[in-house]
Amino acid sequence: AEKTAAKMEKKVSRRAKKEEEDLEALIAEFQNLDAKKTQVIETSCPPPSPRLNGSLSAHPEKDELILFGGEYFNGQKTYLYNDLYVYSIRKNSWSKVEIPNPPPRRCAHQAAVVPVAGGQLWVFGGEFASPNGEQFYHYKDLWVLHLATKTWEQIKASGGPSGRSGHRMVACKRQLIIFGGFHESARDYIYYNDVYAFNLDSFTWSKLAPSGIGPAPRSGCQMTANPEGSIIIYGGYSKQRIKKDVDKGTLHTDMFLLKTEGAGKEEDKWAWSRLSPSGVKPPPRSGFSVATAPNNRSLLFGGVHDEEEEESIEGDFFNDIYFYDIGKNRWFPGQLKGPKSEKRKRRRGRQAEAEGAGDEEMEKQPPQGPVEIVKEVVAEDGTVMTIKQVISGPAEEKERSESEEEEEDGALGQQVEPCPRSNAMLAVKHGVLFVYGGMFEVGDRQFTLSDLYSIDLHKMEEWKVLVEMDPKAQEWLEESESDEEEDDTEGAEGGEEESSEEDSDEEGEEQHPPAQPGEEHADYLSRTEQYWIKLARSNMGPDAKEKKVVKVAHAMAKTFYEDSL
């Protein structure tokens, strides 16, 4: 198995190298833009745009949540982010913090908070993707955000993990422990089950070699550190090629303990052992989100179970919570107790029935009974979205009117819950769980969310809506619309769609030649080609082949042309 894995890794890295070279120049261009920012600028702002696969972390000393990175797909293009947002829990408000020299744009990275020197946010790995989602650049860089001074620092240390995304990272004693993940090129992929430790005192990497039989390679698992310094792994996803162009996905449901025999030092011996938990385990799923809960528990939220047919994939999305009690080695579902007033008690019984009926039915079927309020919202492109909110009551119409009354009283949050979703971002602060963003699918269309919910994990009474989903933020472009514009290799998009405008407005920044009103792409390219070739060559270096320089220059020009329009 090790030989096969080594051969596959060699094959993947060989093919990926060429792809990644194509994207490196564009990443460098985005970094050049970031490097022109010389001071920290913090501004109040509306909630962040829709995204998934970012990181949401609780500030160790303040009542704040920190959102970094993520991705957004509108049906034609993938946008990557490296912006930093701070959510004030007390004020229920967002601010955007622009800090010079941040990590490059990415998604599917990992972030861990370390409570020293005013707080540190450590970020490792992740990926950058081309707009068509067919080329990937996997990072293997390590960064730390010093929260007290609002400065980013890249930590350069040899011997760390290879480039990857979908891995998991936790802070454990004075170490960052990284497990698993995957690396993908256009035609090949490899999943990992290796374990690395980064020492927060010596700033050195070490690859652990635990004894015993550990988890199979996987990404997107649950990884939790217990107070004793051991690591718990649950679930995850991997796929295998069973024949040419046919892959088979596996939803893992096994559980492992990685235990150290020492005090968390580099020379300690580690060992894998299998866990057989009691209780009610979560149904198999991928794309779930995880967080550390109070009372020595970890939690799992949402996710998707894909039914893979030969021609298509149908997904059942979840919005449930499952707790794992670390001390008792036991799983149990998180049950809402409901608010305490008489009216709410009456609802609670009906809501339990609705939950018992299963989240899959709720997401897939049209509303059948009194347990759902249905909101229809129209996106800017005219698409009607049906959002279901599970409540309870004697009749649908009565509940609809009750909910409208309560909405006026500001009590809507007492009867709603996040719609089913995968790849959401979670954080826990003062025993309260916050759920931000993620995505769900309806047919061939993907909805990326920007809503924010919270629930008190000590009381488990009700979800609160802090930010509602904005239907105007939903954009979906059919694939067919872009066929005539598609290129074999497009450069990667970055930032929000309006970010180019923001960047070009900065005083003193070099401005790329803008498209003239009504100017066709071919005319724009003819007029500015030499500028973009010169820029691409300066990023790629003197040894780059002319053909590749021209290809990258054209991709950069196309990206900027479309953004400047």
Side-chain angles (χ1 to χ4, degrees), residues 479-487 558:
E479 240 179 290
S480 56
E481 293 172 24
S482 64
D483 285 349
E484 60 190 19
E485 294 177 16
E486 274 188 7
D487 220 346
K558 187 169 190 280

Side-chain angles (χ1 to χ4, degrees), residues 90-376:
R90 288 174 189 261
K91 296 177 185 173
N92 186 25
S93 63
W94 288 94
S95 56
K96 186 173 184 177
V97 186
E98 295 181 60
I99 298 174
N101 298 305
R105 302 159 199 266
R106 68 189 63 206
C107 66
H109 55 279
Q110 282 287 280
V113 168
V114 177
V116 297
Q120 297 174 339
L121 180 76
W122 290 81
V123 173
F124 175 79
E127 70 183 50
F128 184 77
S130 63
N132 57 14
E134 291 177 9
Q135 285 181 290
F136 303 95
Y137 183 93
H138 294 268
Y139 295 104
K140 56 180 178 180
D141 51 355
L142 179 67
W143 294 75
V144 58
L145 173 62
H146 301 282
L147 297 172
T149 57
K150 293 188 172 68
T151 51
W152 280 110
E153 180 187 0
Q154 184 174 3
I155 307 298
K156 294 185 176 176
S158 60
S162 56
R164 64 190 63 197
S165 53
H167 51 290
R168 291 294 177 256
M169 177 172 80
V170 294
C172 182
K173 298 196 171 174
R174 290 294 296 157
Q175 296 184 111
L176 300 173
I177 309 289
I178 290 172
F179 169 78
F182 71 97
H183 186 292
E184 187 170 14
S185 69
R187 285 177 291 178
D188 292 302
Y189 52 82
I190 182 167
Y191 284 78
Y192 299 107
N193 63 348
D194 47 5
V195 189
Y196 284 82
F198 180 77
N199 188 298
L200 291 165
D201 296 315
S202 63
F203 280 27
T204 53
W205 284 107
S206 57
K207 184 175 183 178
L208 306 184
S211 58
I213 297 173
R218 65 192 64 194
S219 71
C221 62
Q222 181 175 32
M223 185 178 186
T224 307
N226 69 15
E228 290 75 49
S230 297
I231 306 289
I232 294 156
I233 300 288
Y234 167 75
Y237 175 82
S238 64
K239 59 183 180 181
Q240 287 177 301
R241 186 145 294 164
I242 50 176
K243 56 184 178 183
K244 193 181 178 187
D245 298 328
V246 179
D247 298 324
K248 185 177 188 301
T250 302
L251 294 175
H252 299 279
T253 57
D254 46 5
M255 203 158 184
F256 292 85
L257 179 70
L258 179 60
K259 195 171 182 182
T260 174
E261 293 167 9
K265 294 178 182 172
E266 283 181 50
E267 62 273 14
D268 286 344
K269 290 181 179 176
W270 294 77
W272 283 114
S273 60
R274 193 156 185 145
L275 287 173
S276 299
S278 61
V280 181
K281 283 171 75 173
R285 63 188 72 191
S286 64
F288 55 78
S289 308
V290 300
T292 301
N295 304 321
N296 198 23
R297 294 168 178 169
S298 62
L299 70 81
L300 171 158
F301 168 82
V304 59
H305 183 267
D306 288 327
E307 297 289 344
E308 296 187 28
E309 305 293 334
E310 280 192 24
E311 295 296 319
S312 64
I313 295 178
E314 283 291 328
D316 291 327
F317 288 80
F318 299 95
N319 62 348
D320 48 1
I321 296 176
Y322 276 82
F323 291 97
Y324 173 70
D325 189 309
I326 296 170
K328 296 177 181 174
N329 186 27
R330 176 176 165 265
W331 281 102
F332 61 96
Q335 300 287 354
L336 286 186
K337 295 170 187 171
K340 291 175 183 174
S341 74
E342 273 310 304
K343 187 161 127 187
R344 294 170 193 161
K345 274 184 187 171
R346 189 176 72 247
R347 287 202 178 122
R348 186 170 52 194
R350 300 297 292 249
Q351 186 165 341
E353 281 176 34
E355 288 170 351
D359 295 294
E360 299 164 38
E361 257 189 340
M362 283 159 30
E363 173 65 11
K364 299 293 290 178
Q365 299 297 327
Q368 297 294 329
V371 294
E372 291 172 354
I373 278 188
V374 178
K375 273 189 185 176
E376 287 194 342

Side-chain angles (χ1 to χ4, degrees), residues 326-486:
I326 296 170
K328 296 177 181 174
N329 186 27
R330 176 176 165 265
W331 281 102
F332 61 96
Q335 300 287 354
L336 286 186
K337 295 170 187 171
K340 291 175 183 174
S341 74
E342 273 310 304
K343 187 161 127 187
R344 294 170 193 161
K345 274 184 187 171
R346 189 176 72 247
R347 287 202 178 122
R348 186 170 52 194
R350 300 297 292 249
Q351 186 165 341
E353 281 176 34
E355 288 170 351
D359 295 294
E360 299 164 38
E361 257 189 340
M362 283 159 30
E363 173 65 11
K364 299 293 290 178
Q365 299 297 327
Q368 297 294 329
V371 294
E372 291 172 354
I373 278 188
V374 178
K375 273 189 185 176
E376 287 194 342
V377 287
V378 182
E380 274 193 321
D381 61 3
T383 304
V384 177
M385 292 178 287
T386 303
I387 307 299
K388 299 171 189 172
Q389 297 176 328
V390 179
I391 60 161
S392 49
E396 188 175 359
E397 286 308 311
K398 186 174 175 189
E399 282 304 346
R400 191 184 296 263
S401 62
E402 279 183 11
S403 76
E404 283 164 4
E405 285 167 21
E406 295 202 8
E407 186 171 12
E408 289 167 19
D409 297 337
L412 182 63
Q414 294 165 353
Q415 33 173 330
V416 298
E417 58 185 2
C419 69
R421 65 190 68 196
S422 70
N423 304 87
M425 289 137 276
L426 305 190
V428 174
K429 182 73 178 177
H430 300 315
V432 176
L433 170 68
F434 295 85
V435 176
Y436 171 76
M439 61 82 80
F440 67 91
E441 291 166 348
V442 178
D444 293 334
R445 176 166 179 172
Q446 175 178 308
F447 291 90
T448 307
L449 301 162
S450 57
D451 49 2
L452 179 66
Y453 284 79
S454 70
I455 185 169
D456 188 322
L457 297 173
H458 292 294
K459 298 176 181 174
M460 284 300 288
E461 285 181 1
E462 58 195 353
W463 284 99
K464 292 182 179 173
V465 189
L466 302 172
V467 177
E468 287 202 86
M469 187 181 78
D470 179 7
K472 289 180 181 173
Q474 293 296 325
E475 174 193 47
W476 190 256
L477 306 175
E478 294 300 329
E479 240 179 290
S480 56
E481 293 172 24
S482 64
D483 285 349
E484 60 190 19
E485 294 177 16
E486 274 188 7

Side-chain angles (χ1 to χ4, degrees), residues 38-81:
T38 55
Q39 56 184 354
V40 177
I41 302 170
E42 189 165 353
T43 50
S44 296
C45 64
S49 59
R51 63 191 65 199
L52 65 151
N53 288 330
S55 57
L56 188 66
S57 311
H59 195 299
E61 295 184 4
K62 298 181 181 178
D63 289 341
E64 293 177 347
L65 306 178
I66 303 153
L67 175 67
F68 173 72
E71 64 177 312
Y72 172 70
F73 179 60
N74 69 359
Q76 286 182 7
K77 287 182 183 176
T78 301
Y79 293 87
L80 277 299
Y81 304 112

